[in-house]
Amino acid sequence: MKRYFTIILVFLLVRSLPVHAQDPSFSQFFSSPLNVNPGLTGIINADWRAISNLRNQWITPASPYMTGTISFDTRLTRDAIANVSAADNYFSIGTMLMYDRAMAGVVKGTYASLNLAYSLKVLENDGYTHRFSLGFGGIYGRRYIDYSRVDFEEQFAGYGFNTNLPTGESSLSNMKGYFSMSAGAVYSIKSNHSNFDFGISSFHINTPNQTFLQDENQELAARKVIHSNFEYKINEGYVLNANGIFQRQAEASYFSVGGGIGHFLGDAQNTILNAGVWYWSDNAIIPYVGLAYNNWQFGLSYDVTTSKLTQASFNPGTWELSIIIRGKRSLTGMIPCPWK
């Protein structure tokens, strides 16, 4: 068992190196906007929005990776400034909680963020409204080992393992949390029949220490993101949506791009059926289905693995579920894309 734990520990140390340390990522990145850009806080077709995401990656009997989030963002105030309509500019606030589990819960992580954003109407011309949004965030995170799921040689009592005994690994109890900062900007162009967003962001700008041991050289690298989203109302029955993201953290990078169609069911247009497919570079093809009804929206995707993991003895299945609730007396704008 000691040998088993040593293998786990080596794996954890490798993951903590700057070359490999990465934040959790979602196939449905468009359903987790606060994890993409703090500038997206409050950019919604409603007064407030609550989102929950669940990702179960590489499903096996051990369930090696599981990530979940819950977030909430809302517009705080309509800010009136000189010569500008009060409805044109507003502050927004948002928060997100994330947990991450690996190795059937042996390795756990928690992550909490608080964002503040300001959206400014730049101009309005020929039916198109241009907006610029700037957001900042503070992040607290911590990764640790759940001792109750691991047995140590020092805990062997002759008839089995007694987890109440000391582990003999006191250095692992000193794993501390970290604080980091994020910032991002978004430029949007919207009309009655289309919407386009483009943004850039960076997380962990101060590159905090994130390590399982007392090593000042172990840093969490900054995560840099570029993203875009486009919606177009084809007619009264269909809406086209396409988006993409590029992300880089230390030496690791990936892009995901794809799109889908939203179909309005019925004349009331309060029910929308969504279907699409995305491509995650060198990793997976991701079909997606979703349903929006009034203020609720659900999305389900499954990663069809295309990487070398397909050669493994097990089928590395990965699925994600997203649930979105928007709050307003009457929703405005197109909502087939979870981005808003």
Side-chain angles (χ1 to χ4, degrees):
M1 188 60 66
K2 183 71 172 182
R3 179 183 178 186
Y4 170 74
F5 179 75
T6 301
I7 294 174
I8 292 178
L9 181 57
V10 170
F11 175 80
L12 298 177
L13 292 176
V14 170
R15 280 180 60 90
S16 70
L17 291 174
V19 180
H20 297 283
Q22 299 179 53
D23 290 344
S25 299
F26 290 94
S27 298
Q28 294 183 46
F29 61 90
F30 44 83
S31 295
S32 186
L34 301 192
N35 191 44
V36 172
N37 190 334
L40 289 169
T41 304
I43 301 183
I44 50 181
N45 293 321
D47 287 333
W48 58 264
R49 171 182 56 188
I51 303 177
S52 180
N53 310 96
L54 178 63
R55 175 178 176 85
N56 200 337
Q57 183 174 347
W58 302 342
I59 303 171
T60 66
S63 297
Y65 298 104
M66 180 177 290
T67 306
T69 71
I70 183 169
S71 66
F72 177 85
D73 59 327
T74 184
R75 297 176 181 178
L76 272 180
T77 59
R78 304 279 186 176
D79 183 46
I81 59 178
N83 302 320
V84 177
S85 170
D88 291 338
N89 308 279
Y90 53 85
F91 281 103
S92 299
I93 190 170
T95 184
M96 183 178 71
L97 301 176
M98 177 186 296
Y99 74 87
D100 192 30
R101 289 180 27 174
M103 297 183 177
V106 174
V107 183
K108 297 182 179 180
T110 55
Y111 175 107
S113 66
L114 180 65
N115 297 340
L116 183 64
Y118 182 74
S119 181
L120 172 69
K121 181 179 176 180
V122 179
L123 63 90
E124 188 168 7
N125 186 28
D126 296 330
Y128 289 89
T129 301
H130 297 244
R131 304 192 66 86
F132 177 77
S133 301
L134 187 64
F136 299 91
I139 302 166
Y140 176 80
R142 179 172 177 260
R143 298 181 69 210
Y144 59 96
I145 294 175
D146 186 350
Y147 290 115
S148 66
R149 294 180 175 270
V150 182
D151 298 330
F152 295 80
E153 182 180 12
E154 288 81 357
Q155 295 174 320
F156 185 70
Y159 53 85
F161 289 89
N162 182 355
T163 56
N164 292 321
L165 295 176
T167 64
E169 303 289 345
S170 59
S171 61
L172 295 176
S173 64
N174 296 323
M175 295 179 289
K176 298 181 179 179
Y178 64 87
F179 178 80
S180 66
M181 296 174 290
S182 63
V186 179
Y187 194 87
S188 304
I189 305 173
K190 184 177 181 178
S191 70
N192 290 331
H193 60 274
S194 67
N195 179 80
F196 174 75
D197 302 298
F198 176 82
I200 58 174
S201 63
S202 181
F203 294 77
H204 315 305
I205 299 174
N206 55 321
T207 60
N209 291 335
Q210 180 190 236
T211 177
F212 285 88
L213 299 177
Q214 297 292 326
D215 187 348
E216 296 179 355
N217 296 320
Q218 302 300 320
E219 293 181 342
L220 180 59
R223 172 164 61 99
K224 302 173 184 178
V225 184
I226 302 174
H227 60 85
S228 64
N229 174 70
F230 176 72
E231 290 177 272
Y232 180 77
K233 190 172 184 179
I234 301 173
N235 51 43
E236 294 303 316
Y238 294 92
V239 172
L240 171 69
N241 170 247
N243 52 45
I245 187 172
F246 174 81
Q247 182 168 282
R248 184 177 184 85
Q249 190 168 14
E251 300 301 321
S253 64
Y254 84 93
F255 70 87
S256 181
V257 62
I261 294 289
H263 175 50
F264 294 93
L265 302 178
D267 296 333
Q269 295 196 348
N270 63 341
T271 304
I272 307 171
L273 180 64
N274 300 306
V277 63
W278 276 257
Y279 172 71
W280 186 325
S281 58
D282 300 322
N283 184 27
I285 296 174
I286 308 160
Y288 167 88
V289 293
L291 179 67
Y293 176 72
N294 288 333
N295 298 345
W296 292 77
Q297 187 161 344
F298 304 88
L300 181 66
S301 62
Y302 182 84
D303 290 21
V304 181
T305 304
T306 59
S307 67
K308 293 182 180 180
L309 283 175
T310 56
Q311 303 173 10
S313 58
F314 62 90
N315 182 19
T318 300
W319 61 266
E320 281 187 20
L321 173 68
S322 63
I323 302 174
I324 303 173
I325 309 173
R326 298 178 179 88
K328 190 168 184 171
R329 293 185 182 137
S330 60
L331 294 174
T332 61
M334 298 171 289
I335 63 169
C337 174
W339 199 271
K340 292 189 176 182

